[in-house]
Amino acid sequence: MRQEIISDAQLVSNYIKGEESALSTLIYRHKQKIYSFIYSKVFDRDLAEDIFQDTFIKVIKTLKRGAYNEEGKFLPWVMRISHNLVIDHFRKNNRMPKFDNSGEFSIFSVLGDSALNAEKQLIKDQVESDVRRLIEELPEDQKQVLVMRMYNDMSFKEISERTGVSINTALGRMRYALINLRKVVDKHNIVLTN
Amino acid sequence: MAKLYIKGSQEVDNQNPREETVKFLLDYSKALSVIDYKKMKFEALLN
């Protein structure tokens, strides 16, 4: 009975402090809204189940990392994550080659695809590690803002609170970080594409 | 009439995720711990 009274914001705060049962309450309170929203977009029960699961994995990770900015908007935030994951799913599906049912079966249409994916994955890993190395070369203040924004998914408001500078300064540092990264990339002719 | 009632009761629930999915998430949450080290955060699944 008492659980019904506790607000989402309070439950989130309790969960961040380590109270696991708060998450259970949050999931049971909102599961129907979130799941039926996903199902209304994908019309596939298993797929909706997967996206629902991925949504909450993201929620759990963000909350445990302390990267969540509580503004009393837990449900819209979770809905936004699930919405983005639904879009990701449709994008990924569009890129997948469709099986051509009219002609003869070609084994290479199946094999070729996975080989390409593995190669692309390697290139992606390489590019990401190159970018990481380049970031290490940035001045400390710019590096700090860029890492918080891009890798920790923090908003500029959070960054300004964490670093003790104004939002405009944080924005400026981000801008210079990107300009400097581009300069280094141009200067050394580094190719960062997949 | 009887048929209608039977059909209704056999409908699949498209409004809620399966109980196993919810349980998985709760177990995942219990197993996940984030370790702070300087400015970095590491995730560890203790399962």
Side-chain angles (χ1 to χ4, degrees), chain A residues 15 20 23-24 27-28 31-32 35-36 39 45-46 49 52-53 56-57 60-61 64-65 140, chain B residues 12-19 21-22 24-26 28-30 32-34 39 41-43:
Chain A
Y15 176 64
E20 290 288 333
L23 178 75
S24 165
I27 293 180
Y28 279 100
K31 66 177 180 160
Q32 192 192 351
Y35 183 83
S36 53
Y39 185 80
R45 201 160 149 65
D46 290 327
E49 208 81 39
F52 179 85
Q53 187 172 304
F56 271 96
I57 285 179
I60 290 165
K61 278 187 181 173
K64 290 223 170 184
R65 279 171 159 260
E140 192 53 42
Chain B
V12 189
D13 179 14
N14 285 332
Q15 298 291 313
N16 280 298
R18 290 188 193 105
E19 199 51 43
T21 309
V22 176
F24 167 82
L25 287 166
L26 296 176
Y28 174 82
S29 163
K30 278 176 201 152
L32 181 75
S33 85
V34 174
K39 280 176 199 161
K41 282 176 192 289
F42 298 97
E43 284 167 15

Side-chain angles (χ1 to χ4, degrees), chain A:
Chain A
M1 197 60 200
R2 202 179 119 73
Q3 285 199 334
E4 287 301 313
I5 307 161
I6 305 173
S7 68
D8 285 355
Q10 186 58 51
L11 285 168
V12 168
S13 150
N14 291 353
Y15 176 64
I16 292 170
K17 283 176 201 151
E19 193 190 303
E20 290 288 333
S21 63
L23 178 75
S24 165
T25 312
L26 282 167
I27 293 180
Y28 279 100
R29 187 178 285 179
H30 299 300
K31 66 177 180 160
Q32 192 192 351
K33 252 186 199 149
I34 296 160
Y35 183 83
S36 53
F37 166 75
I38 299 167
Y39 185 80
S40 72
K41 300 280 178 271
V42 298
F43 289 111
D44 182 306
R45 201 160 149 65
D46 290 327
L47 187 58
E49 208 81 39
D50 280 353
I51 295 176
F52 179 85
Q53 187 172 304
D54 288 347
T55 302
F56 271 96
I57 285 179
K58 219 167 178 170
V59 167
I60 290 165
K61 278 187 181 173
T62 310
L63 293 178
K64 290 223 170 184
R65 279 171 159 260
Y68 174 66
N69 185 19
E70 176 54 64
E71 286 169 347
K73 291 172 183 165
F74 178 74
L75 183 61
W77 174 60
V78 182
M79 291 292 249
R80 170 60 55 186
I81 294 174
S82 62
H83 180 252
N84 289 344
L85 288 174
V86 168
I87 291 175
D88 282 353
H89 161 74
F90 283 121
R91 276 196 193 135
K92 208 163 48 187
N93 249 19
N94 275 344
R95 277 206 298 273
M96 291 250 246
K98 300 274 186 299
F99 181 63
D100 181 13
N101 216 11
S102 58
E104 282 179 16
F105 173 71
S106 159
I107 187 72
F108 294 107
S109 69
V110 184
L111 290 177
D113 182 40
S114 68
L116 190 69
N117 280 345
E119 187 191 349
K120 277 195 171 174
Q121 186 58 47
L122 280 174
I123 297 171
K124 188 169 170 280
D125 291 347
Q126 185 64 52
V127 168
E128 281 171 4
S129 86
D130 286 347
V131 172
R132 271 284 188 181
R133 278 217 302 267
L134 290 174
I135 291 169
E136 288 304 315
E137 302 298 322
L138 288 173
E140 192 53 42
D141 54 347
Q142 294 171 19
K143 185 168 82 181
Q144 195 183 21
V145 173
L146 189 135
V147 169
M148 284 180 176
R149 181 73 195 114
M150 305 311 289
Y151 291 97
N152 299 350
D153 268 343
M154 289 165 71
S155 67
F156 280 105
K157 188 166 174 275
E158 288 171 294
I159 294 170
S160 78
E161 282 161 7
R162 185 76 63 90
T163 54
V165 297
S166 70
I167 292 182
N168 276 337
T169 309
L171 282 164
R173 284 179 183 172
M174 183 70 188
R175 182 168 170 265
Y176 280 105
L178 295 177
I179 289 172
N180 285 331
L181 275 181
R182 287 199 189 100
K183 266 189 201 161
V184 179
V185 169
D186 282 346
K187 195 174 161 193
H188 298 286
N189 289 325
I190 304 165
V191 181
L192 293 171
T193 45
N194 195 344

